[in-house]
Amino acid sequence: MSIGAYDLLRRRAAERIGALELDSLRDREGIRSEVDRLVSAYQRRAHAGDGVRPFRDPAHVSDRLIDSLVGYGPLTPLLNGSDIEEVFIEGERITFIDASGRLQALDAPTSEEENRQIVARILAGTNRRLDTSNPIEQARVLGGRARLTAVIPPVADRLSVTIRKYTVKNHDLDFLMKRDVLSAPASAFLWVAAQATTTILFSGPPGAGKTTLLSAFLRAVPVDRCVRICEEVREIDVPLMHGSFYEASPPTLDGKRRYTLRELVKVVLAQRPDLICVGEVRGAEAFELTRAVNAGCGFACTIHADSAPLALVALVNAALMAGENVTESVLSRVFRSAIDFVVHLQRDHPGYQEGGIRRQVMEIVAVGKDDRGHGYTTESLFRRDDLGRSLCWTGALPPPETVSRIHRSLPDDVSLDSVMSGDWYPGP
C-alpha cells in the first residue's frame, strides 16, 4: 500500500466526514459509504492511467481508513491484544513489547499525522488534552486498562508516546508469590506488615512492578483502616471499604494544575487517614509525607531508585524540591523515624529471556537510626542475589520497636521469626 496515497485519502475522508457532521458512533454506515466512495474514485483514476497506482486490496484499504477515522487505526490490535505490555510511538514509527519481553516493530505503515490523531482519540473523554499549550500529558486511558504518556513539540522533536497496559489485574500477595515475584516468607512478612500499618517504600526502575506490588500490599490492609490514595494519574485499582482515591487535576489553559499531587496529600492529611498512599513520588509531594509522621499515620509509596538505600536518598531529594526552609539532615531524620521498610524490585531488560520479563523483589530492608542518631541504617531482611535466584531471609529482624508493633498484629501463637523463616503463612 502506498502510504502517500493512503494519507491523501484519509485526509479527504476526514474533511468529508467533518463537512457532513457525521458522528463516529451513530453514523458508521454513512462514514463507510463516504470512504468506499473515495476509494472507488481513486481506483477508477488509477485504472484510467491517471499516474497513480491502484490498491491491490481496496476493501482492506477501506477497512483501515474507517478504523483510523473512528477507531485506533493500526494501533487497534496492539491496544486490544492481551499479550502486549507496552506500545511506543515515535513520529511515524510504532514499536511494542510483547508478553515475552521482545521489542518488535509494527509492520503496518503509518504517518505521524495519523498517529497524532489516534492519540487524540485515545485521550478523548479523559478531560485531558495534548496541544502546544500543554505539550506533555499523562492520562489513564482505554477504560482504565492503560496509562498514556505523550510529549509533542516544542518539548519533543516529534510525537513521542508510551502506552503502558495493565496486564495484571486483581493481584494479591499470594498471586505474586506464586509468580515468584517474592518468596512465600517475604509474602507473609509483607502481609503482616500491612496488618500493623507500617510505612513502606517500594523502589526500582521503571517497569519493575512497583505499582503492582504496592497494589497487592494495599489489598492486605485490613478493611477497617482508612486508606487515602493520591496519584498524578490513577493506576492503583484496589477495593476500599474505608477510604478513597484522589487524582491530580489536568492542566488549565494557562498550563497550571488546579490541584497538584502535593495539594492532594495536604488534603488527605485532614481526613483522618490510617494510611496515605502516593502512587509514585516524584517531587514536592514528598515533603507533605513528613507531616504524616506528626499526624500519626503511615504511608506507602513508590519511587524510582537503583537500590533500597538509594530509594531513601531519592525520597529526601524529592522532598527538598518543595523549596521549604528545611535542611537535608532534618528531612533524613524525619524519614528515618517514619519509614519502616524499603522493598526493592528489579526487572530483566526486554528480550533478555524467552519466558517473558521477570519482575522480582531483590531485597527487603528495615530502616533504623545510626549509632549517633543523626542518619539512618538499613538492615537487609530478605535478599535475592540475582534475578531468578531465591529470595531468602537473611536471619535479621527489624529494629525492636518495629518488631514490638508488628507482634501486636500477629496471632497469639505466631512469632515474627516463624513468619520470616517460612514456618507460618497467612494463606490466600
Side-chain angles (χ1 to χ4, degrees):
M1 180 192 303
S2 167
I3 190 64
Y6 170 82
D7 269 346
L8 178 63
L9 283 177
R10 187 176 57 80
R11 291 194 196 99
R12 288 179 176 173
E15 292 170 357
R16 183 65 178 165
I17 290 169
L20 294 174
E21 298 182 350
L22 297 176
D23 183 87
S24 61
L25 295 177
R26 297 193 305 267
D27 303 318
R28 289 292 183 108
E29 289 303 316
I31 291 173
R32 173 167 286 281
S33 177
E34 289 299 321
V35 168
D36 287 344
R37 185 183 63 78
L38 286 171
V39 172
S40 296
Y42 176 90
Q43 289 292 93
R44 288 196 297 271
R45 284 179 52 209
H47 289 305
D50 199 14
V52 294
R53 297 177 59 183
F55 293 123
R56 182 179 304 174
D57 187 350
H60 171 70
V61 174
S62 292
D63 289 342
R64 184 181 163 188
L65 283 168
I66 292 168
D67 195 21
S68 176
L69 292 166
V70 302
Y72 301 135
L75 287 178
T76 301
L78 302 183
L79 300 180
N80 292 339
S82 60
D83 59 340
I84 306 298
E85 290 203 356
E86 291 191 77
V87 180
F88 308 95
I89 305 172
E90 300 295 335
E92 65 182 22
R93 181 176 173 80
I94 298 175
T95 55
F96 59 94
I97 294 177
D98 62 18
S100 69
R102 291 191 298 266
L103 180 66
Q104 302 187 47
L106 184 68
D107 292 333
T110 64
S111 68
E112 182 170 357
E113 180 186 354
E114 179 180 12
N115 292 339
R116 175 75 177 269
Q117 292 177 355
I118 292 171
V119 169
R121 195 168 299 123
I122 293 174
L123 279 171
T126 65
N127 197 29
R128 311 236 170 189
R129 72 183 198 286
L130 186 68
D131 53 37
T132 53
S133 67
N134 184 56
I136 302 176
E137 190 55 276
Q138 288 187 312
R140 188 172 58 148
V141 297
L142 306 178
R145 294 186 292 114
R147 182 183 75 178
L148 178 145
T149 302
V151 187
I152 60 172
V155 175
D157 61 344
R158 57 183 177 176
L159 176 68
S160 181
V161 179
T162 299
I163 302 172
R164 177 178 296 180
K165 297 175 64 182
Y166 305 139
T167 54
V168 180
K169 285 285 189 181
N170 300 322
H171 37 267
D172 56 16
L173 291 171
D174 189 64
F175 175 81
L176 296 182
M177 180 269 293
K178 292 174 181 175
R179 290 176 63 126
D180 199 27
V181 174
L182 67 170
S183 62
S187 173
F189 174 74
L190 290 182
W191 184 89
V192 169
Q195 310 311 300
T197 317
T198 52
T199 296
I200 298 189
L201 190 60
F202 295 89
S203 68
K210 300 183 295 297
T211 302
T212 298
L213 185 52
L214 171 59
S215 297
F217 173 79
L218 292 175
R219 285 177 178 270
V221 174
V223 295
D224 61 347
R225 304 281 170 79
C226 180
V227 180
R228 306 288 185 183
I229 301 175
C230 305
E231 296 177 273
E232 191 81 51
V233 175
R234 184 175 168 184
E235 294 184 79
I236 297 172
D237 185 18
V238 296
L240 292 180
M241 293 293 291
H242 185 25
S244 192
F245 298 89
Y246 304 84
E247 185 177 31
S249 59
T252 58
L253 291 176
D254 60 1
K256 297 180 180 179
R257 293 185 186 272
R258 187 175 181 186
Y259 302 112
T260 64
L261 190 56
R262 182 181 181 185
E263 289 167 330
L264 294 183
V265 177
K266 281 184 181 180
V267 168
V268 300
L269 277 166
Q271 293 185 295
R272 197 183 174 276
D274 294 308
L275 178 68
I276 298 174
C277 173
V278 179
E280 184 177 339
V281 172
R282 302 187 213 176
E285 63 276 3
F287 180 80
E288 301 307 324
L289 293 177
T290 64
R291 305 182 194 274
V293 180
N294 295 325
C297 59
F299 61 84
C301 56
T302 73
I303 195 164
H304 290 133
D306 291 332
S307 67
L310 287 178
L312 295 164
V313 175
L315 187 63
V316 170
N317 289 339
L320 287 171
M321 293 172 64
E324 303 289 344
N325 189 26
V326 180
T327 65
E328 180 178 347
S329 61
V330 170
L331 289 172
S332 295
R333 186 169 66 249
V334 171
F335 282 129
R336 180 203 69 211
S337 65
I339 297 173
D340 296 307
F341 308 109
V342 181
V343 181
H344 185 71
L345 297 100
Q346 192 56 266
R347 67 173 175 85
D348 285 318
H349 292 293
Y352 179 78
Q353 93 160 13
E354 289 298 321
I357 300 176
R358 289 178 299 191
R359 296 175 172 88
Q360 295 181 322
V361 172
M362 303 304 293
E363 191 174 25
I364 300 177
V365 304
V367 180
K369 62 182 179 181
D370 63 16
D371 294 335
R372 296 171 299 171
H374 297 298
Y376 55 79
T377 62
T378 56
E379 179 73 50
S380 182
L381 305 179
F382 293 90
R383 183 187 298 118
R384 191 192 305 265
D385 292 332
D386 201 358
L387 284 166
R389 303 287 294 273
S390 298
L391 180 66
C392 300
W393 180 35
T394 64
L397 290 172
E401 61 272 17
T402 307
V403 172
S404 176
R405 186 154 29 102
I406 290 176
H407 268 303
R408 290 197 293 269
S409 66
L410 283 171
D412 293 338
D413 58 343
V414 176
S415 68
L416 187 57
D417 300 63
S418 65
V419 173
M420 300 178 76
S421 63
D423 292 337
W424 180 84
Y425 190 77

